[in-house]
């Protein structure tokens, strides 16, 4: 049921070694998970690649890259 579903937001910066564990923990936290949004905050390691793999494996995972955001000045 969607009314009990959770939305999780994870900020990731150079988190290639921890990202899969964090996303898996969010997905298996007890309540139904509607979406896990991971915000990649200008990572310079393989975080974007790990995030792409997680997005392919888990349909609930959505990535937002800081580089793709256009913020007003």
């Amino acid at each position: 049921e969607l009314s009990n579903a959770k939305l999780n937001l994870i900020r990731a910066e150079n988190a290639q070694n921890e990202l899969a564990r964090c996303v898996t923990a969010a997905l298996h936290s007890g309540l139904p998970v509607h979406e896990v949004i991971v915000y990649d905050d200008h990572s310079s390691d393989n975080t974007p690649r790990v995030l792409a793999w997680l997005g392919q494996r888990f349909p609930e995972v959505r990535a937002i890259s800081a580089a793709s955001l256009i913020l007003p000045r």
Side-chain angles (χ1 to χ4, degrees):
E1 180 177 303
L2 194 55
S3 65
N4 290 330
K6 290 178 29 176
L7 171 69
N8 290 289
L9 178 61
I10 298 171
R11 180 189 165 270
E13 180 182 4
N14 297 329
Q16 67 182 18
N17 296 326
E18 300 88 18
L19 190 54
R21 182 178 47 82
C22 290
V23 168
T24 302
L27 289 169
H28 298 99
S29 61
L31 289 174
V33 175
H34 174 65
E35 191 169 28
V36 176
I37 299 172
V38 181
Y39 172 69
D40 179 13
D41 196 4
H42 301 285
S43 294
S44 60
D45 64 356
N46 285 321
T47 295
R49 183 176 292 168
V50 173
L51 188 50
W53 176 80
L54 289 166
Q56 291 174 350
R57 183 166 179 189
F58 302 108
E60 304 90 351
V61 175
R62 185 168 65 120
I64 299 174
S65 171
S68 68
L69 296 177
I70 300 172
L71 302 176
R73 292 180 185 220

